[in-house]
Amino acid sequence: MSTNSSTDDLTWFGRRTVWDSINVMEIGRFRSLIWQFALRDLKVRYRQTLIGALWAVIQPVVTMIVFGMLFSTLDGRPTTSGLPYAVTSLCALIFWQFVATSVVAATQSISMNAQLVQKVYFPKIILPLASMIPPLVDLAIAAVVLIGVMLWYGVGVSLQILWLPVIALGLFLTALAAALWFSAMNALYRDVQYTVPFLISIGLLASPVTYELAAVLERMSPTVQFVYCLNPFVGLLSLIRWSILDTTFPPLIPLIISGIGTTILLLSGIYNFGRMERLFTDRV
């Protein structure tokens, strides 16, 4: 009798499918945990540092200066819009900095919380999600510097700026897709955490961050253009420049290719995370 009464309060769960890892309703119930993880990461990020949140500004600004000097020395033409190089490069650099820091942090989110993963039940997908919130704060801080640089050079904005939230959401989802792939793989194979920074460095050169898309497309053959535009960040970063700086709207074909690439990357990332999640407790 006592045994039946004790089991009446228990909830039994069947085997989860791989798509259950992205159960939006369940993630919503754990939203307070997401914020707690994000606040913890924010406090740890700048603890015992001398300049704190200024690191969010220094990295894109120094990168802008270095590439500006490099292109100037080599007499290159990294832009075609006629805008000051400091404005057009910093505009993309602060968003690329968000992608880089969020993907690197999310990659280690499962392995860094190994004890929680092994002892407490919660949707594991909230760990990479929460680790992407502090880089969003950094992006907001760096955006203030971009506004200052635009004012300094007298560069204004137009109505295209209204599209920025939609484009930024696309960038966030693309970074999340990469984060899901790398965080799940790093939980099982620690080599991934050493590979991701290298891939981020390659991505900086392979994406229109320190140069504009039009400046390189005109020098590529159609085949090379197709391969180059498979990188989903090509279309997104070009759209960000268009929305903020009113540059020429990027060619439609690279946008379609980038959109397809982003969709495939996100769906496969969710599927792979759900498939590997069941192994986290034993292997992390």
Side-chain angles (χ1 to χ4, degrees):
M1 184 64 182
S2 60
T3 303
N4 290 336
S5 61
S6 62
T7 56
D8 287 343
D9 297 333
L10 297 177
T11 302
W12 299 93
F13 295 94
R15 183 176 180 180
R16 290 163 58 91
T17 67
V18 294
W19 298 106
D20 286 337
S21 62
I22 195 69
N23 187 327
V24 177
M25 297 294 289
E26 186 181 42
I27 293 173
R29 289 198 300 273
F30 283 88
R31 59 185 178 278
S32 61
L33 191 57
I34 294 177
W35 290 116
Q36 289 301 320
F37 282 142
L39 287 173
R40 180 200 61 181
D41 291 346
L42 265 177
K43 292 176 182 176
V44 171
R45 174 187 290 263
Y46 299 120
R47 183 180 294 169
Q48 295 181 333
T49 61
L50 291 176
I51 58 176
L54 281 178
W55 284 113
V57 176
I58 289 176
Q59 294 183 42
V61 169
V62 170
T63 305
M64 173 199 71
I65 294 173
V66 169
F67 274 93
M69 294 174 63
L70 178 65
F71 283 125
S72 175
T73 303
L74 298 178
D75 196 25
R77 293 189 301 114
T79 66
T80 58
S81 63
L83 292 168
Y85 181 75
V87 175
T88 188
S89 60
L90 188 61
C91 176
L93 272 168
I94 63 173
F95 285 92
W96 179 257
Q97 190 66 30
F98 160 74
V99 171
T101 52
S102 59
V103 170
V104 169
T107 297
Q108 301 181 27
S109 60
I110 303 293
S111 57
M112 293 286 287
N113 294 280
Q115 291 188 343
L116 274 176
V117 170
Q118 291 173 331
K119 297 178 180 177
V120 182
Y121 171 77
F122 59 90
K124 305 302 182 293
I125 198 170
I126 70 174
L127 285 171
L129 265 177
S131 64
M132 295 178 68
I133 293 178
L136 274 178
V137 177
D138 291 347
L139 175 61
I141 296 171
V144 176
V145 177
L146 174 63
I147 293 172
V149 174
M150 290 174 65
L151 290 174
W152 176 264
Y153 284 100
V155 178
V157 296
S158 59
L159 287 178
Q160 284 97 292
I161 194 73
L162 297 176
W163 284 99
L164 184 59
V166 178
I167 302 167
L169 176 62
L171 188 76
F172 180 88
L173 291 177
T174 306
L176 174 63
L180 292 178
W181 266 103
F182 291 136
S183 60
M185 293 174 64
N186 188 60
L188 276 62
Y189 311 104
R190 294 295 192 273
D191 311 70
V192 177
Q193 63 184 326
Y194 303 110
T195 307
V196 169
F198 173 71
L199 294 177
I200 293 293
S201 301
I202 298 296
L204 175 65
L205 299 174
S207 306
V209 182
T210 56
Y211 52 86
E212 293 180 357
L213 178 61
V216 294
L217 279 186
E218 62 186 20
R219 306 176 190 179
M220 293 179 177
S221 66
T223 304
V224 176
Q225 284 185 17
F226 177 80
V227 174
Y228 177 74
C229 293
L230 288 177
N231 175 2
F233 294 107
V234 169
L236 288 166
L237 291 171
S238 300
L239 282 174
I240 286 173
R241 277 199 179 98
W242 166 76
S243 66
I244 296 178
L245 303 178
D246 193 20
T247 56
T248 304
F249 192 81
L252 197 57
I253 292 179
L255 293 183
I256 294 174
I257 297 173
S258 293
I260 295 173
T262 298
T263 304
I264 293 174
L265 188 65
L266 182 60
L267 292 178
S268 62
I270 294 171
Y271 178 83
N272 182 64
F273 191 93
R275 187 175 62 86
M276 300 180 76
E277 182 183 9
R278 65 192 66 175
L279 304 175
F280 289 169
T281 304
D282 297 327
R283 300 282 298 276
V284 72

